[in-house]
Amino acid sequence: MKRFIYLMCIVFLFPMVSCKKFLDTSPLDFKSPENYFSTESELNTALVGVYNRLEDERMYRRGLFTYLAISDEFFYRNVSTSSLFVLDFDAAQVDIGRFWEACYQGIDRANAILENIQKPVMDEQKRGVIKGETLFLRAYFYFLLVDNYGGVPLKLTSTKNPTDKPLKRATVKEVYDQILQDMSAAYALVQDLKKDPADQSDQGLIYSERVTKSAIAGILAKVCLTMAGEPLKDQSKNAEALKWSDLVIGSGRHMLNPDYKQIFINAAKDVYDTKECIWEIGFYGNNTGSFQQGGTLGITNGIASTDVNDPGYATGTINATARMYNLYDATDVRRDWCIAPFKYVTTNNKTTTVAWTTAQLYDRNIGKWRRQYETVVPKAIDFNSVNFPALRYADVLLMYAEAANEVNGGPTPTAELYLNQVKRRGHNKPVGTPDPAIDVARGLSKGKFLEELQNERAREFAFEGMRQHDLKRWGLYVSKMNSLAVEINANAPSTWKYAASAGKNTTDRNLLFPIPNSELVLNPNIGVNNQNPGW
């Protein structure tokens, strides 16, 4: 059972937002910060409210792995113009504004906890855990902001009054420095994941919806690799990424699930896989009752089906690109799991599968999250309880390999080993047994090894919201999107050529989202003259 997310049932009532327009109306019934945070329970309830912002529609309920993460992996069916789905939008686009707002709501909630963390009389270790998780979450919201908008206002105190003086944009480096400071402090405070899930003591965590030391170290590795790439290009951060990823690997608490598809079957069944899935964004139920905290994995980005019960309804709005399909070789089991090799056909209330032909590459839906395995019933049309995998152990292994390649001017034997472990698992082979037919060639140059690793990240994390982020930090996003359009125009059947639309529309301006128009109006210290380039 998803124990942590049950806390969502507790009403969390204190000022929750950072933008003035949301503070113009006072709530009729809430505990003010002066009267709240008086007990350990109230601190924990407030912490749930910070986690809650990660479950917003524009966050991990949908946006961050679909329409806010447009890349060369997928395209939206039947959309060619005037849409965020094909990168044809402006700074007034509502989802861009709501994403910004959700991040700052999370930051404001975190700031309120940090300002009141000393109020309750409670165990100091437990106080430290709450503080550590809060610091990490505040930093993570800033990571999402700086990664997508560039320099943003650095707000480190909670909103007290709608007339608070608006803040100027901090530089990208200043935001990252704050992220590193908060996450590093958090690492020392939070709990470890239990090595033995059967241990029911209070020491350590047995589920992955709350951040652990492994989660923080893994995300710190991701932050450092991002800083080492575009736009900062701080090469010194590769060594730090190596350090943080090595801490996760050396902890002995994690390992690759030997069966790739089982990771996602477990997620559908609400089974925790804490060795592989280090941090998950938790969802609960199917939004049919009063407590509505459902997710959407496998619905928009699933295999189209009109059968609500078996296998489960899915719009199948998103298709994989032929480029993504062709990245896999024929023996890679991830290909036909991530990209469905069949469609559902329902006739006379009976649903069967019909295989796609080899020519039907652009017809294929995403198959990574399959509703047929869901155990929460009755199944709902629009929501389910499947958690989103924010950090997997495979990611840590590949981040180590990438950082080691950069630090040493080429791959080390350990970097090769970790890359090969992921490749072997992807081919349904024992991860500890060398396989010359699968393993990366020994002694590749730095550039060739990076290319191998970049392709492996695409295969391993297909449709998990990472591809756009990776391409941008590698400085490849615009060229990859533009070349995708050329490929589709040259090779796709005429009925699918519109799939090139996003690639055609991609320019340097798409390296960042625009600062939302609503924020430019409200904050004169940003102003229209300080909009991101091209917007």
Side-chain angles (χ1 to χ4, degrees):
M1 302 297 288
K2 298 184 177 183
R3 299 186 297 169
F4 177 58
I5 207 158
Y6 287 152
L7 291 171
M8 298 294 182
C9 296
I10 303 171
V11 178
F12 176 54
L13 292 171
F14 72 93
M16 298 180 181
V17 294
S18 62
C19 297
K20 290 194 291 181
K21 63 182 176 180
F22 292 107
L23 296 176
D24 291 341
T25 302
S26 297
L28 296 176
D29 181 22
F30 71 94
K31 278 192 171 185
S32 68
E34 291 79 13
N35 300 319
Y36 204 73
F37 307 108
S38 300
T39 66
E40 178 184 342
S41 176
E42 289 182 345
L43 279 182
N44 273 309
T45 303
L47 177 59
V48 170
V50 185
Y51 277 100
N52 172 265
R53 290 296 75 209
L54 292 172
E55 295 146 7
D56 185 84
E57 163 67 20
R58 279 80 184 181
M59 294 279 195
Y60 291 104
R61 177 171 284 165
R62 197 187 322 264
L64 283 178
F65 56 87
T66 55
Y67 52 80
L68 297 180
I70 301 297
S71 74
D72 60 351
E73 297 173 301
F74 65 84
F75 64 95
Y76 274 81
R77 295 169 65 100
N78 302 320
V79 181
S80 58
T81 59
S82 303
S83 173
L84 178 61
F85 301 161
V86 293
L87 303 182
D88 183 10
F89 65 97
D90 59 27
Q93 210 286 329
V94 63
D95 294 292
I96 300 300
R98 295 285 173 82
F99 176 42
W100 173 283
E101 291 161 6
C103 288
Y104 274 108
Q105 287 169 357
I107 289 166
D108 206 55
R109 294 180 185 189
N111 286 336
I113 294 175
L114 294 171
E115 290 165 1
N116 292 277
I117 193 73
Q118 296 299 326
K119 285 183 68 174
V121 176
M122 61 182 292
D123 178 84
E124 290 303 317
Q125 183 180 11
K126 292 181 178 179
R127 190 196 314 275
V129 169
I130 295 172
K131 181 179 179 180
E133 290 182 59
T134 305
L135 281 169
F136 170 80
L137 291 171
R138 180 174 73 175
Y140 192 74
F141 286 118
Y142 272 120
F143 181 44
L144 293 175
L145 285 166
V146 73
D147 195 39
N148 286 283
Y149 297 95
V152 296
L154 202 54
K155 193 173 190 300
L156 302 178
T157 58
S158 64
T159 299
K160 308 297 192 304
N161 190 298
T163 61
D164 286 352
K165 184 179 179 181
L167 299 172
K168 296 180 180 180
R169 292 180 74 173
T171 66
V172 169
K173 184 180 184 305
E174 287 169 341
V175 178
Y176 273 114
D177 285 346
Q178 185 66 46
I179 292 169
L180 293 178
Q181 177 180 317
D182 280 357
M183 288 191 180
S184 298
Y187 180 81
L189 295 170
V190 303
Q191 292 176 290
D192 272 322
L193 183 77
K194 290 182 179 178
K195 286 188 176 181
D196 180 9
D199 178 8
Q200 295 298 308
S201 70
D202 289 334
Q203 298 302 311
L205 298 173
I206 62 171
Y207 51 99
S208 50
E209 290 167 3
R210 295 183 72 167
V211 294
T212 61
K213 286 188 184 298
S214 291
I216 293 176
I219 296 299
L220 271 165
K222 190 179 293 289
V223 168
C224 289
L225 275 182
T226 306
M227 295 177 73
E230 300 286 349
L232 280 182
K233 301 180 183 178
D234 183 353
Q235 293 294 309
S236 69
K237 291 298 184 288
N238 284 309
E240 293 187 42
L242 191 63
K243 175 193 77 173
W244 288 114
S245 55
D246 193 43
L247 278 174
V248 180
I249 297 165
S251 73
R253 289 177 164 82
H254 305 283
M255 63 183 293
L256 293 174
N257 188 317
D259 185 348
Y260 181 77
K261 68 178 183 298
Q262 193 62 43
I263 302 167
F264 309 98
I265 295 173
N266 285 342
K269 291 183 174 182
D270 283 352
V271 174
Y272 286 106
D273 181 1
T274 55
K275 291 186 179 298
E276 170 85 34
C277 296
I278 298 173
W279 182 35
E280 299 176 88
I281 309 302
F283 293 96
Y284 176 79
N286 56 20
N287 275 36
T288 57
S290 58
F291 179 47
Q292 299 198 351
Q293 202 62 42
T296 66
L297 279 171
I299 299 175
T300 301
N301 62 337
I303 309 171
S305 169
T306 58
D307 191 328
V308 176
N309 297 310
D310 184 19
Y313 180 86
T315 61
T317 306
I318 301 174
N319 283 12
T321 61
R323 171 185 284 183
M324 190 65 229
Y325 182 90
N326 289 325
L327 269 177
Y328 299 97
D329 64 55
T331 64
D332 195 323
V333 299
R334 294 171 297 187
R335 185 190 69 183
D336 288 345
W337 182 260
C338 295
I339 303 172
F342 61 82
K343 62 179 176 178
Y344 288 122
V345 176
T346 301
T347 306
N348 297 325
N349 297 320
K350 181 178 177 59
T351 299
T352 58
T353 62
V354 176
W356 295 113
T357 69
T358 56
Q360 293 176 302
L361 295 187
Y362 286 91
D363 300 77
R364 304 179 187 219
N365 289 145
I366 296 169
K368 203 161 202 173
W369 294 273
R370 302 189 182 189
R371 300 204 66 190
Q372 70 191 82
Y373 297 102
E374 291 177 17
T375 55
V376 174
V377 293
K379 293 179 183 177
I381 290 178
D382 295 322
F383 297 95
N384 58 22
S385 64
V386 181
N387 284 1
F388 182 87
L391 180 68
R392 294 201 282 113
Y393 186 57
D395 195 3
V396 177
L397 292 175
L398 294 183
M399 287 192 291
Y400 179 101
E402 182 176 351
N405 185 52
E406 294 295 328
V407 169
N408 294 284
T412 62
T414 304
E416 292 172 343
L417 171 64
Y418 291 162
L419 174 57
N420 286 334
Q421 286 179 345
V422 177
K423 288 174 69 68
R424 292 168 195 162
R425 196 263 301 269
H427 288 78
N428 205 27
K429 301 291 186 179
V431 299
T433 304
D435 192 324
I438 295 168
D439 291 354
V440 67
R442 297 293 302 273
L444 291 178
S445 68
K446 176 183 173 183
K448 285 293 185 181
F449 185 82
L450 177 60
E451 184 179 345
E452 288 277 354
L453 186 139
Q454 288 170 338
N455 288 335
E456 192 62 26
R457 287 189 65 85
R459 290 186 283 261
E460 176 71 19
F461 306 116
F463 317 120
E464 293 183 43
M466 290 198 207
R467 180 65 171 169
Q468 183 195 85
H469 166 82
D470 281 343
L471 290 177
K472 286 181 178 179
R473 67 183 178 87
W474 291 326
L476 299 174
Y477 184 64
V478 176
S479 62
K480 285 288 188 181
M481 292 298 289
N482 291 165
S483 64
L484 176 69
V486 173
E487 288 175 18
I488 292 173
N489 281 327
N491 302 318
S494 59
T495 54
W496 294 112
K497 290 193 183 296
Y498 71 83
S501 297
K504 289 178 182 177
N505 293 334
T506 305
T507 67
D508 285 345
R509 80 172 190 165
N510 297 110
L511 296 174
L512 293 172
F513 290 149
I515 303 298
N517 278 351
S518 56
E519 185 66 20
L520 297 180
V521 171
L522 289 167
N523 189 343
N525 285 329
I526 295 181
V528 294
N529 293 327
N530 200 16
Q531 179 57 280
N532 284 331
W535 296 101

